[in-house]
Amino acid sequence: MSEKFDVIVVGAGASGNAAAYTLAKSGLKVLQLERGETPGAKNVQGAILYADALERIIPDFREEAPLERHIIEQRMWVMDERSYVGSHFRSDDFNKPPYNRYTIIRAKFDKWFSDKVKEAGALVICETTVKELLRDDKGKVIGVEVDRADGRIYADLVILADGVNSTLARKAGFRPELDPKHVALAVKEIHFLPKDVIESRFNIQDEEGVVIEMMGKITHGMMGTGFLYTNSDSISVGVGCLLSDFMEQKITPYQLLEQLKAHPSVAPMLEGGEMKEYAAHLIPEGGYHAIPQIYGDGWLIVGDSGMFVNAVHREGSNLAMTTGRIAAETAIELSRAGKAMSAANLALYRQRLDDSFVIKDLKKYKDLPDLLDTNKQFLTTYPELLNRSAYAMLKVDGEDKRSKQKDIYRGFRAERSLFGLLGDAYKLWRAFR
């Protein structure tokens, strides 16, 4: 443990594995530390794998990675208590290799990814907690101290990939305490069903998959969404809301998930399944405004630790792997040029992120999280009105459609004034422009 490494990576999730693999593959001496019993043991996600991000790291990953189903159909549901108004996009273009998105089981996938990290030459040590960062008298990070005898380990660079809570970054003063408005608490269950039942139920064939994203009254006015993903022989179902909303509401995450599973549109999809796994996890939701300082003298921050999640488009693993890869590539370039891992040199990491889709996407929708959090009508009033309107127009009862249209308009005006409706439309336009 008294050895010195070129880079120490803290965490064995998607971002940590991407960084450690890229570094080790280049020939650098890499140590990866994980506090869980095995890589992936503490990682929770829906989970969707975005092929492009991993392909840039391991081009032939499809030949051996434990993938569940490639996604050919995306559904979006806006729900009230009894129904939903939705849209489906299904394309045969997504059914042609190389496939673009997959469902995965994180425990299986992370173990595979960690094995690739070891094959690349990194030393991976699990069941080891990093207690604090080691710093010299000028404040530069020079290593870590772990919960083992003689646990001071030195390195030219430490990459923090230790999750949204990132105790190390907070203790070191690199980022503030978590704001409850910037993180969601998500709960998930995995229900096992025969493979043929899943395929029949979702109108798919072998290895094809469906993703359903849900919003509306299922979250009781709280800022959040639900999801349902098809795996090979199981279904992942879950829901998450801002931690600040859970702190104000009396409903628990478990109760919210039970109500989602009981919804008339969701229950038939889970019928007959055997629930074998339950997990809860904090997810960064603050977007662009929540990104902390992500580089400094001898350190970088990647993945959830840097709040890199695109909550608007429900993307996380691709941002995690991309930030991990770019951090590693920055370190490799500096090492080969014989440059110090100083804050001035490591600023290149942030510059490259600014030029990537990661920051561009987060910056594009930087105001949307706050907009939805402060305008609950988008999650309560409008979903209910949309569903009520669809029911009225589709119900054939002898009333003429023009009269129904007037009733629908009056219903919207009763809930929101004309000024309020126009104001809400303008707010959305501003957020998505």
Side-chain angles (χ1 to χ4, degrees):
M1 299 296 271
S2 61
E3 287 187 78
K4 182 178 178 181
F5 294 82
D6 294 317
V7 184
I8 295 173
V9 179
V10 183
S15 62
N17 284 336
Y21 178 86
T22 305
L23 290 162
K25 197 75 173 175
S26 75
L28 293 182
K29 188 177 181 180
V30 180
L31 171 65
Q32 185 180 35
L33 300 170
E34 165 60 35
R35 65 188 177 95
E37 184 178 351
T38 59
K42 294 184 176 297
N43 298 332
V44 180
Q45 184 190 351
I48 300 295
L49 173 71
Y50 301 88
D52 176 75
L54 183 56
E55 198 169 30
R56 294 171 187 263
I57 301 166
I58 307 176
D60 59 350
F61 77 92
R62 293 178 179 85
E63 297 177 8
E64 53 183 294
L67 308 171
E68 293 293 305
R69 293 179 179 272
H70 63 270
I71 299 166
I72 67 166
E73 181 177 317
Q74 175 87 40
R75 305 180 188 178
M76 301 292 295
W77 290 0
V78 179
M79 308 169 76
D80 66 6
E81 294 91 342
R82 301 175 304 281
S83 58
Y84 72 85
V85 173
S87 63
H88 293 192
F89 181 76
R90 181 171 180 140
S91 173
D92 197 49
D93 288 337
F94 282 138
N95 209 14
K96 299 173 183 177
Y99 304 121
N100 183 256
R101 293 186 297 163
Y102 298 86
T103 52
I104 58 172
I105 303 296
R106 281 296 299 267
K108 296 178 184 178
F109 178 81
D110 287 359
K111 182 182 183 304
W112 169 82
F113 205 167
S114 183
D115 288 342
K116 299 300 291 185
V117 172
K118 296 171 189 174
E119 290 174 14
L123 174 61
V124 180
I125 302 178
C126 295
E127 297 185 276
T128 301
T129 300
V130 178
K131 299 193 310 187
E132 61 182 346
L133 299 174
L134 300 178
R135 305 169 84 167
D136 64 16
D137 54 4
K138 294 183 179 180
K140 183 181 187 296
V141 172
I142 56 174
V144 300
E145 183 173 358
V146 301
D147 60 345
R148 296 190 177 203
D150 301 321
R152 296 169 74 87
I153 316 172
Y154 297 91
D156 295 324
L157 175 67
V158 175
I159 296 179
L160 300 179
D162 52 337
V164 60
N165 212 22
S166 194
T167 304
L168 291 173
R170 288 189 291 110
K171 285 176 65 175
F174 299 157
R175 51 174 274 187
E177 293 288 332
L178 282 178
D179 187 334
K181 294 194 303 182
H182 289 162
V183 289
L185 176 58
V187 290
K188 180 190 77 170
E189 291 180 353
I190 297 182
H191 293 245
F192 285 80
L193 284 160
K195 187 172 180 289
D196 61 327
V197 172
I198 293 175
E199 290 168 359
S200 173
R201 198 165 284 180
F202 289 87
N203 189 28
I204 51 179
Q205 299 181 26
D206 188 43
E207 297 184 355
E208 298 173 350
V210 172
V211 166
I212 306 175
E213 302 284 356
M214 299 169 257
M215 64 167 291
K217 299 197 74 174
I218 55 169
T219 56
H220 292 252
M222 296 188 290
M223 174 64 179
T225 57
F227 63 85
L228 188 150
Y229 305 153
T230 58
N231 305 312
S232 181
D233 58 357
S234 64
I235 294 174
S236 298
V237 60
V239 63
C241 295
L242 289 183
L243 187 58
S244 56
D245 284 343
F246 274 127
M247 293 168 66
E248 294 176 4
Q249 297 277 2
K250 294 182 179 179
I251 190 170
T252 66
Y254 178 76
Q255 289 173 321
L256 204 64
L257 178 56
E258 288 298 303
Q259 291 180 12
L260 173 63
K261 293 189 301 178
H263 191 281
S265 299
V266 176
M269 297 181 174
L270 303 175
E271 185 178 358
E274 181 181 3
M275 195 277 283
K276 290 187 178 180
E277 297 183 30
Y278 175 85
H281 185 56
L282 289 177
I283 301 174
E285 295 278 338
Y288 182 79
H289 295 303
I291 299 173
Q293 179 71 12
I294 56 174
Y295 67 90
D297 281 333
W299 59 273
L300 295 173
I301 292 179
V302 298
D304 284 5
S305 303
M307 309 298 279
F308 292 116
V309 168
N310 183 343
V312 177
H313 293 283
R314 315 310 304 157
E315 295 179 14
S317 66
N318 55 334
L319 279 72
M321 289 185 287
T322 300
T323 56
R325 172 180 60 81
I326 292 177
E329 290 171 349
T330 302
I332 292 166
E333 181 175 326
L334 294 179
S335 177
R336 288 175 176 170
K339 295 182 178 180
M341 299 295 173
S342 64
N345 291 333
L346 290 170
L348 178 61
Y349 168 55
R350 177 62 196 238
Q351 294 169 19
R352 288 181 170 174
L353 283 186
D354 285 343
D355 291 335
S356 74
F357 78 92
V358 174
I359 297 298
K360 288 179 180 178
D361 282 352
L362 291 177
K363 195 171 184 178
K364 171 71 174 176
Y365 304 104
K366 64 182 184 297
D367 296 325
L368 190 58
D370 287 339
L371 169 65
L372 295 177
D373 186 42
T374 55
N375 291 269
K376 302 297 188 183
Q377 65 270 20
F378 289 116
L379 303 171
T380 54
T381 303
Y382 289 131
E384 183 174 1
L385 290 172
L386 284 172
N387 280 272
R388 191 191 307 165
S389 300
Y391 177 77
M393 290 301 295
L394 293 172
K395 182 180 180 182
V396 179
D397 55 5
E399 184 178 355
D400 65 281
K401 296 297 189 288
R402 183 171 179 80
S403 296
K404 288 189 174 187
Q405 290 173 358
K406 290 180 179 179
D407 288 342
I408 290 170
Y409 176 69
R410 282 194 290 267
F412 273 82
R413 287 289 302 273
E415 295 289 345
R416 299 285 290 168
S417 67
L418 180 59
F419 178 79
L421 290 169
L422 292 174
D424 288 343
Y426 179 70
K427 291 172 188 175
L428 284 178
W429 177 79
R430 290 270 301 175
F432 282 98
R433 76 188 192 285

